[in-house]
Amino acid sequence: MMTASTKLSALFAAKHDGQPSTTQPYDVTLILIALALMSIGVVIVTSASMPVADRLHDNPFYFAIRHGIYIVGAIIAAMVVLNLPMQFWRMTNPYLLLAAIALLLAVLVVGRTVNGSTRWLAIGPITIQAAEPAKLFFFAYLAGYLVRRYEEVTENLKGFIKPLVVFFALAMLLLLQPDLGTVVVMFATTIGLLFLAGARLWQFFALVFAGILAVVALIVFEEYRMKRVTSFLDPWADPFGAGYQLTQSLMAYGRGNWFGQGLGNSLQKLEFLPEAHTDFVMAILAEELGFVGVLAVLGLILWMVLRALSIGNKALEKGRAFDGYMAYSIGIWFSFQTAVNIGASAGILPTKGLTLPLVSYGGSSLIIMSVAVAILLRIDFELRVDGVQAIGRGDSKSGKSKARRKKPIPTSASQTKAAHAESGASAEDKSDEADFSTATVEAKPTKTSSAEDEGKAGIKAILARVAQEADNG
């Protein structure tokens, strides 16, 4: 047995026949990818924000300092979440959904309006973008729903429609802000998760078709969204009006070429490109680090998404359905939000205000994305230690058990005869019961006995019992 202070590495070694194990308790690769993306974000956000920070706050490092504080907060939040077992998310996901709805309602009532959008809750010096935790909480609820109602989702239409009703309610609250980008990301993650959970193909394609129609309708009946689409189709038709932001972003991509202009040498960040350190941070990265830099960031995010999907597969193989669906949702979420952010800045998709995961400036996004990575790490951790148990609670009782003396067990037929000759018939029955129980206790391995000693003790107990029964017969 092992004491409570035994290290986790020793537990892994015990599981593998006592051989020293090189298995890490956490996915080090995933941690390094997240830290690499955060480090790139610090460098690019600092470079992109210096001109606007100097003009607005007379401090070129104003946004860089705030971004550093956000990273510290994100790491602390990730460490806290890393210590929460997945059972917490399984049990609380319905309440998390209620919390998401409450946050979105609070934004509409007491939210702060910036650039025509009401998306932020101001709590003293802290500003929270309610849509960010709402996404994570909804995905946790959806994973829990798929576990609880798996047969309904895969076998009848009613079970398939129920989570869509919840999504529709959240989408309406988000569109009132308005925030179509978050709705699109949540919709893509929802249909992806339902497809992976085994929904019927006709339901899946019907949902995709209905979603596309809904997005088209939202664009057509809203003038500013229609202008974004027309400017996306031909940004050079109005380069100083509706197409200004996209044309400046495309200039940044064009100047970057293969290896970029060098770190800090961007021209578009000199307040030519609006929101250079938030939604369009990838354009500045492309201008300064070139195609190679963009490819490196895309490779890191792709690696993280593949790790999330791999963790989800392992969780489903081991019967952890909630953990698997949660990992799937995080992987789909990261990949689709990255595609929308980079696609918008590169002119592939209409302009949308979505951050680049773990890179863009923004406290709410950075903290929630870090929490999502911590959940992935926790799922992977529980998969790695699945079946490995540290036996430490009974160690405190070992002193008491050792202090108890066991009755000697007769080991030969002559000793058994002598014992029966001195006692009556009733004493014989009691002696038999006591000897049998003692033999059973003695056969159990102690904490200090070796495998050979345990085998010998078991054989002696069996022989003693056979001798007693022979004498009684």
Side-chain angles (χ1 to χ4, degrees), residues 118 140 148 156 161 225 244 259 281 284 302 319 364 378 388 438:
T118 307
R148 293 189 298 269
N156 60 67
I161 293 296
R225 292 189 186 125
Y244 176 77
F259 300 102
V281 68
I284 303 302
L302 176 62
S364 299
R378 181 70 197 193
V388 180
T438 309

PDB file of all heavy atoms in Angstrom, residues 118 140 148 156 161 225 244 259 281 284 302 319 364 378 388 438:
ATOM      1  N   THR A 118     -24.578  47.319 -27.314  1.00  0.00           N
ATOM      2  CA  THR A 118     -24.651  47.192 -25.854  1.00  0.00           C
ATOM      3  C   THR A 118     -24.273  45.771 -25.491  1.00  0.00           C
ATOM      4  O   THR A 118     -25.121  44.863 -25.488  1.00  0.00           O
ATOM      5  CB  THR A 118     -26.070  47.518 -25.350  1.00  0.00           C
ATOM      6  OG1 THR A 118     -26.456  48.804 -25.859  1.00  0.00           O
ATOM      7  CG2 THR A 118     -26.118  47.543 -23.839  1.00  0.00           C
ATOM      8  N   ALA A 140     -21.643  23.935 -22.145  1.00  0.00           N
ATOM      9  CA  ALA A 140     -21.699  22.985 -21.027  1.00  0.00           C
ATOM     10  C   ALA A 140     -23.108  22.409 -20.883  1.00  0.00           C
ATOM     11  O   ALA A 140     -23.284  21.204 -20.666  1.00  0.00           O
ATOM     12  CB  ALA A 140     -21.262  23.669 -19.732  1.00  0.00           C
ATOM     13  N   ARG A 148     -28.010  13.429 -21.089  1.00  0.00           N
ATOM     14  CA  ARG A 148     -29.275  13.081 -20.431  1.00  0.00           C
ATOM     15  C   ARG A 148     -30.328  12.605 -21.423  1.00  0.00           C
ATOM     16  O   ARG A 148     -31.133  11.732 -21.106  1.00  0.00           O
ATOM     17  CB  ARG A 148     -29.816  14.308 -19.668  1.00  0.00           C
ATOM     18  CG  ARG A 148     -28.969  14.729 -18.496  1.00  0.00           C
ATOM     19  CD  ARG A 148     -29.685  15.797 -17.673  1.00  0.00           C
ATOM     20  NE  ARG A 148     -29.926  17.007 -18.451  1.00  0.00           N
ATOM     21  CZ  ARG A 148     -29.098  18.030 -18.516  1.00  0.00           C
ATOM     22  NH1 ARG A 148     -27.956  17.992 -17.851  1.00  0.00           N
ATOM     23  NH2 ARG A 148     -29.385  19.108 -19.236  1.00  0.00           N
ATOM     24  N   ASN A 156     -35.873  10.756 -32.112  1.00  0.00           N
ATOM     25  CA  ASN A 156     -37.089  11.484 -32.478  1.00  0.00           C
ATOM     26  C   ASN A 156     -36.807  12.973 -32.607  1.00  0.00           C
ATOM     27  O   ASN A 156     -35.792  13.479 -32.115  1.00  0.00           O
ATOM     28  CB  ASN A 156     -38.214  11.236 -31.460  1.00  0.00           C
ATOM     29  CG  ASN A 156     -37.833  11.693 -30.064  1.00  0.00           C
ATOM     30  OD1 ASN A 156     -37.666  12.882 -29.815  1.00  0.00           O
ATOM     31  ND2 ASN A 156     -37.711  10.743 -29.131  1.00  0.00           N
ATOM     32  N   ILE A 161     -35.203  19.041 -31.209  1.00  0.00           N
ATOM     33  CA  ILE A 161     -35.651  20.433 -31.242  1.00  0.00           C
ATOM     34  C   ILE A 161     -35.416  21.137 -29.906  1.00  0.00           C
ATOM     35  O   ILE A 161     -35.139  22.351 -29.870  1.00  0.00           O
ATOM     36  CB  ILE A 161     -37.138  20.495 -31.627  1.00  0.00           C
ATOM     37  CG1 ILE A 161     -37.325  20.035 -33.070  1.00  0.00           C
ATOM     38  CG2 ILE A 161     -37.697  21.898 -31.445  1.00  0.00           C
ATOM     39  CD1 ILE A 161     -36.656  20.917 -34.088  1.00  0.00           C
ATOM     40  N   ARG A 225     -25.755  45.756 -41.666  1.00  0.00           N
ATOM     41  CA  ARG A 225     -25.225  44.439 -42.015  1.00  0.00           C
ATOM     42  C   ARG A 225     -25.162  44.282 -43.539  1.00  0.00           C
ATOM     43  O   ARG A 225     -24.216  43.687 -44.066  1.00  0.00           O
ATOM     44  CB  ARG A 225     -26.090  43.331 -41.406  1.00  0.00           C
ATOM     45  CG  ARG A 225     -26.028  43.260 -39.886  1.00  0.00           C
ATOM     46  CD  ARG A 225     -26.734  42.020 -39.361  1.00  0.00           C
ATOM     47  NE  ARG A 225     -26.781  42.033 -37.902  1.00  0.00           N
ATOM     48  CZ  ARG A 225     -27.887  41.920 -37.178  1.00  0.00           C
ATOM     49  NH1 ARG A 225     -29.059  41.799 -37.787  1.00  0.00           N
ATOM     50  NH2 ARG A 225     -27.844  41.931 -35.856  1.00  0.00           N
ATOM     51  N   TYR A 244     -13.643  50.864 -46.001  1.00  0.00           N
ATOM     52  CA  TYR A 244     -12.370  51.403 -45.518  1.00  0.00           C
ATOM     53  C   TYR A 244     -11.595  50.394 -44.658  1.00  0.00           C
ATOM     54  O   TYR A 244     -10.408  50.153 -44.891  1.00  0.00           O
ATOM     55  CB  TYR A 244     -12.627  52.680 -44.713  1.00  0.00           C
ATOM     56  CG  TYR A 244     -11.373  53.263 -44.093  1.00  0.00           C
ATOM     57  CD1 TYR A 244     -10.473  53.979 -44.880  1.00  0.00           C
ATOM     58  CD2 TYR A 244     -11.083  53.079 -42.749  1.00  0.00           C
ATOM     59  CE1 TYR A 244      -9.319  54.512 -44.339  1.00  0.00           C
ATOM     60  CE2 TYR A 244      -9.929  53.603 -42.188  1.00  0.00           C
ATOM     61  CZ  TYR A 244      -9.040  54.311 -42.983  1.00  0.00           C
ATOM     62  OH  TYR A 244      -7.897  54.831 -42.437  1.00  0.00           O
ATOM     63  N   PHE A 259       7.822  37.194 -45.308  1.00  0.00           N
ATOM     64  CA  PHE A 259       8.455  37.271 -43.995  1.00  0.00           C
ATOM     65  C   PHE A 259       8.166  38.584 -43.266  1.00  0.00           C
ATOM     66  O   PHE A 259       8.721  38.831 -42.196  1.00  0.00           O
ATOM     67  CB  PHE A 259       9.978  37.075 -44.129  1.00  0.00           C
ATOM     68  CG  PHE A 259      10.347  35.743 -44.721  1.00  0.00           C
ATOM     69  CD1 PHE A 259      10.724  35.648 -46.049  1.00  0.00           C
ATOM     70  CD2 PHE A 259      10.291  34.583 -43.961  1.00  0.00           C
ATOM     71  CE1 PHE A 259      11.063  34.425 -46.616  1.00  0.00           C
ATOM     72  CE2 PHE A 259      10.632  33.354 -44.504  1.00  0.00           C
ATOM     73  CZ  PHE A 259      11.012  33.271 -45.836  1.00  0.00           C
ATOM     74  N   VAL A 281      -6.155  42.136 -35.284  1.00  0.00           N
ATOM     75  CA  VAL A 281      -4.776  41.940 -34.842  1.00  0.00           C
ATOM     76  C   VAL A 281      -4.018  41.030 -35.807  1.00  0.00           C
ATOM     77  O   VAL A 281      -2.799  41.167 -35.980  1.00  0.00           O
ATOM     78  CB  VAL A 281      -4.758  41.365 -33.407  1.00  0.00           C
ATOM     79  CG1 VAL A 281      -5.310  39.941 -33.375  1.00  0.00           C
ATOM     80  CG2 VAL A 281      -3.370  41.415 -32.801  1.00  0.00           C
ATOM     81  N   ILE A 284      -2.203  43.046 -38.569  1.00  0.00           N
ATOM     82  CA  ILE A 284      -0.923  43.634 -38.140  1.00  0.00           C
ATOM     83  C   ILE A 284       0.141  42.549 -38.019  1.00  0.00           C
ATOM     84  O   ILE A 284       1.305  42.757 -38.396  1.00  0.00           O
ATOM     85  CB  ILE A 284      -1.103  44.361 -36.788  1.00  0.00           C
ATOM     86  CG1 ILE A 284      -2.188  45.433 -36.917  1.00  0.00           C
ATOM     87  CG2 ILE A 284       0.212  44.984 -36.335  1.00  0.00           C
ATOM     88  CD1 ILE A 284      -1.924  46.467 -37.977  1.00  0.00           C
ATOM     89  N   LEU A 302      -4.616  25.164 -34.925  1.00  0.00           N
ATOM     90  CA  LEU A 302      -5.033  23.876 -35.474  1.00  0.00           C
ATOM     91  C   LEU A 302      -4.576  22.732 -34.582  1.00  0.00           C
ATOM     92  O   LEU A 302      -5.330  21.770 -34.343  1.00  0.00           O
ATOM     93  CB  LEU A 302      -4.460  23.709 -36.881  1.00  0.00           C
ATOM     94  CG  LEU A 302      -4.729  22.357 -37.557  1.00  0.00           C
ATOM     95  CD1 LEU A 302      -6.226  22.130 -37.730  1.00  0.00           C
ATOM     96  CD2 LEU A 302      -4.009  22.262 -38.896  1.00  0.00           C
ATOM     97  N   GLY A 319     -16.251   5.962 -21.976  1.00  0.00           N
ATOM     98  CA  GLY A 319     -17.578   6.079 -21.400  1.00  0.00           C
ATOM     99  C   GLY A 319     -17.861   7.400 -20.709  1.00  0.00           C
ATOM    100  O   GLY A 319     -18.848   7.516 -19.991  1.00  0.00           O
ATOM    101  N   SER A 364     -12.392  39.680 -21.244  1.00  0.00           N
ATOM    102  CA  SER A 364     -13.422  38.635 -21.146  1.00  0.00           C
ATOM    103  C   SER A 364     -13.106  37.458 -22.053  1.00  0.00           C
ATOM    104  O   SER A 364     -13.168  36.293 -21.636  1.00  0.00           O
ATOM    105  CB  SER A 364     -14.792  39.214 -21.503  1.00  0.00           C
ATOM    106  OG  SER A 364     -15.157  40.255 -20.618  1.00  0.00           O
ATOM    107  N   ARG A 378      -8.282  19.464 -17.745  1.00  0.00           N
ATOM    108  CA  ARG A 378      -8.894  18.678 -16.675  1.00  0.00           C
ATOM    109  C   ARG A 378      -9.474  17.371 -17.209  1.00  0.00           C
ATOM    110  O   ARG A 378      -9.327  16.308 -16.574  1.00  0.00           O
ATOM    111  CB  ARG A 378      -9.990  19.504 -15.993  1.00  0.00           C
ATOM    112  CG  ARG A 378     -10.671  18.765 -14.847  1.00  0.00           C
ATOM    113  CD  ARG A 378      -9.732  18.608 -13.667  1.00  0.00           C
ATOM    114  NE  ARG A 378     -10.198  17.593 -12.734  1.00  0.00           N
ATOM    115  CZ  ARG A 378      -9.711  17.427 -11.505  1.00  0.00           C
ATOM    116  NH1 ARG A 378      -8.741  18.209 -11.074  1.00  0.00           N
ATOM    117  NH2 ARG A 378     -10.172  16.491 -10.716  1.00  0.00           N
ATOM    118  N   VAL A 388      -6.604   4.815 -11.489  1.00  0.00           N
ATOM    119  CA  VAL A 388      -5.511   4.889 -10.520  1.00  0.00           C
ATOM    120  C   VAL A 388      -6.041   5.531  -9.254  1.00  0.00           C
ATOM    121  O   VAL A 388      -6.500   6.660  -9.273  1.00  0.00           O
ATOM    122  CB  VAL A 388      -4.327   5.711 -11.082  1.00  0.00           C
ATOM    123  CG1 VAL A 388      -3.209   5.781 -10.073  1.00  0.00           C
ATOM    124  CG2 VAL A 388      -3.852   5.099 -12.375  1.00  0.00           C
ATOM    125  N   THR A 438     -10.124 -16.235  12.061  1.00  0.00           N
ATOM    126  CA  THR A 438      -8.742 -15.789  12.212  1.00  0.00           C
ATOM    127  C   THR A 438      -7.922 -16.141  10.985  1.00  0.00           C
ATOM    128  O   THR A 438      -7.097 -15.375  10.522  1.00  0.00           O
ATOM    129  CB  THR A 438      -8.113 -16.414  13.467  1.00  0.00           C
ATOM    130  OG1 THR A 438      -8.979 -16.186  14.556  1.00  0.00           O
ATOM    131  CG2 THR A 438      -6.744 -15.817  13.743  1.00  0.00           C
TER     132      THR A 438
END
